[in-house]
Amino acid sequence: MQETYDAVVAGGGPSGLQFARELTRRSAFSVAVLEAHDELSDNDKSTGGTFDQVVEGYDIPDSVVMAESSGVVFEGPSTAEHLEIPGYVLDFPNFLEFLGTEVEDAGGEVHTGVRVTEPVYERGSIAGVRCRADGTERTVSADLVVDATGDSAVLTDQLGMFDRDSAQRGIGKEYEAVGTFELDEMLFRFDHFDAPGGYAWAFPAGDGVFKVGVCWIDDFYERHNTDAGRRIDDYVRRWADSDDRWEVDSVREVHAGQVYSNNSINTRAVDGLLAVGDAVSSINPLFGEGIRPGMESAEMAADVALAALRAGDTSRSGLAPYERRWNDEKGGAWKLQRAVGELLYDFAPVQQDRFVRAAGGMSPRQLDRLQRYELTIPDLLELYPFQFSDLWKAPALARHI
């Protein structure tokens, strides 16, 4: 590892690696990715569920796709609907290794076992990072630093760019299981019995392999759980063992993670630094998808970074077009969908069923907007199962809108 680079990326998840991939493929700038895990594949936080925009849009090879899904099933406590939304399930560790190889093949560097700890300042601007590797403290200088450290938000938290304390915390856990699985679709279940304050899922993942998991938002879990002593492990285990559409012979991997989600309208650029992915809450607040918006944020950031590096201007003003573009393209939609998410994960059981039935009645164009997170206000009004008891939630929702 050198002492100086044109760009240093803290974090080797999808957003950090995609940023480095974009920069190395499109320029001769020196780029280094610093990843805290000993191997990129040690990152086990994602289910790997995604859509065409990732697999086709970012040239992801079949070798890292575990399964293609013919559609999506939404389930409520007592109803289910099939939605014509094709999807993919990625082998997430191999996906990360693929992106890392792409970076190195294009002339970049990927260094694992290197934990970034804090930013380095020079004349009031970020000019590098301090990191720890093999028990040794090091300083790496760069014209541009990128925080892609995910939910730990190592640099953005210190810089006050993203306040995790004011965001909602969500957690998820998943079993990658071997056994019998009868579905060829991605299943999402909205039912407080199986996932209080969140949803449960089951995805096909290749012959004899499937994924089952549970996630929730802490605020709504506290409101809807019936046994505060039951941990998420208990819910995942019960979900995995109780449904007759699959049978678990063994669990070969366990994936777990947490997210901090807000309206996603955060500071994404300061002098010398850009932030991408979950380090600045790019996750979609409605269904919690992280891979696609994280990579989209990386692509937007790389477009601006290339222009800034070529112009020799990595000041806030030179980098701010990325922040403005994200807010223009995602900010308003994310803000509205966070409000909808607040309602969805707090629905009474009868509302969960009504929401599922409404989703099943959407037109193909509406379903396309749903999977792209581009729902219009009329779409959302059509989906929303209003009842008068929701009126008391209005002040909380107004904070997000």
Side-chain angles (χ1 to χ4, degrees):
M1 184 165 57
Q2 301 168 194
E3 294 184 354
T4 303
Y5 295 90
D6 293 314
V8 165
V9 181
S15 60
L17 291 168
Q18 182 59 32
F19 177 90
R21 186 187 186 207
E22 292 280 346
L23 224 62
T24 53
R25 292 168 80 178
R26 297 162 59 185
S27 75
F29 290 120
S30 58
V31 181
V33 177
L34 310 182
E35 165 56 38
H37 287 100
D38 290 333
E39 302 288 343
L40 293 177
S41 57
D42 289 341
N43 185 331
D44 64 352
K45 295 181 179 180
S46 175
T47 69
T50 193
F51 300 96
D52 277 345
Q53 288 82 11
V54 169
V55 174
E56 303 296 334
Y58 294 104
D59 299 321
I60 306 304
D62 291 343
S63 60
V64 301
V65 175
M66 299 180 78
E68 294 186 36
S69 172
S70 62
V72 169
V73 173
F74 276 8
E75 284 188 348
S78 61
T79 193
E81 294 285 347
H82 168 81
L83 311 182
E84 293 286 346
I85 303 176
Y88 297 85
V89 179
L90 302 179
D91 183 331
F92 191 69
N94 285 337
F95 170 57
L96 296 181
E97 293 289 354
F98 161 74
L99 292 176
T101 299
E102 289 270 291
V103 171
E104 293 178 327
D105 287 349
E109 299 178 16
V110 178
H111 299 280
T112 56
V114 181
R115 183 174 296 278
V116 171
T117 57
E118 60 182 342
V120 172
Y121 294 89
E122 185 177 302
R123 295 187 294 276
S125 177
I126 307 301
V129 295
R130 290 191 178 87
C131 54
R132 188 171 185 83
D134 298 324
T136 302
E137 299 284 348
R138 296 191 59 174
T139 297
V140 180
S141 300
D143 293 329
L144 177 66
V145 172
V146 178
D147 189 352
T149 56
D151 60 81
S152 58
V154 172
L155 303 176
T156 55
D157 188 46
Q158 294 182 56
L159 294 168
M161 298 170 68
F162 173 38
D163 180 11
R164 293 191 302 168
D165 291 338
S166 66
Q168 288 180 320
R169 178 179 177 269
I171 60 171
K173 193 157 192 175
E174 171 189 84
Y175 291 167
E176 187 172 304
V178 176
T180 304
F181 191 74
E182 296 181 2
L183 305 175
D184 61 359
E185 300 170 311
M186 300 169 75
L187 168 66
F188 295 88
R189 182 168 179 83
F190 304 94
D191 183 339
H192 295 309
F193 176 79
D194 293 307
Y199 62 83
W201 68 86
F203 296 165
D207 292 339
V209 181
F210 56 99
K211 300 183 177 189
V212 290
V214 169
C215 66
W216 61 57
I217 297 172
D218 285 357
D219 294 346
F220 301 120
Y221 166 77
E222 294 297 330
R223 190 173 300 165
H224 290 284
N225 80 83
T226 56
D227 181 358
R230 184 180 288 273
R231 302 175 303 163
I232 195 166
D233 306 72
D234 302 318
Y235 283 95
V236 178
R237 189 174 300 110
R238 185 174 68 185
W239 174 238
D241 292 343
S242 64
D243 199 296
D244 60 9
R245 289 170 292 184
W246 55 78
E247 183 174 347
V248 176
D249 294 335
S250 63
V251 175
R252 68 181 192 181
E253 291 185 20
V254 177
H255 310 140
Q258 64 180 359
V259 297
Y260 292 88
S261 176
N262 64 7
N263 293 338
S264 199
I265 302 179
N266 302 302
T267 301
R268 291 176 172 262
V270 296
D271 291 338
L273 181 141
L274 290 170
V276 298
D278 290 347
V280 69
S281 186
S282 300
I283 191 168
N284 179 267
L286 181 56
F287 294 124
E289 184 191 355
I291 294 175
R292 179 171 43 167
M295 295 181 78
E296 288 173 342
S297 75
E299 185 175 33
M300 291 183 191
D303 289 342
V304 172
L306 283 166
L309 287 167
R310 287 167 179 155
D313 179 15
T314 57
S315 66
R316 156 78 183 175
S317 62
L319 300 175
Y322 156 56
E323 183 178 307
R324 290 195 295 270
R325 181 181 172 189
W326 176 271
N327 288 344
D328 287 346
E329 294 186 19
K330 305 291 187 184
W334 258 231
K335 181 186 290 189
L336 183 60
Q337 288 176 50
R338 184 182 180 193
V340 174
E342 292 242 345
L343 295 167
L344 172 61
Y345 300 117
D346 198 29
F347 281 162
V350 65
Q351 289 179 293
Q352 290 174 321
D353 279 336
R354 288 171 57 197
F355 168 80
V356 167
R357 286 193 292 270
M362 298 182 83
S363 70
R365 295 182 69 176
Q366 288 177 308
L367 289 176
D368 184 63
R369 291 196 292 271
L370 174 64
Q371 72 94 7
R372 292 176 183 272
Y373 307 121
E374 296 174 355
L375 290 170
T376 65
I377 290 177
D379 292 334
L380 293 169
L381 290 174
E382 189 174 321
L383 273 174
Y384 178 57
F386 176 79
Q387 59 184 28
F388 285 109
S389 60
D390 293 333
L391 290 175
W392 72 270
K393 303 172 185 175
L397 297 178
R399 295 199 311 267
H400 307 312
I401 299 175

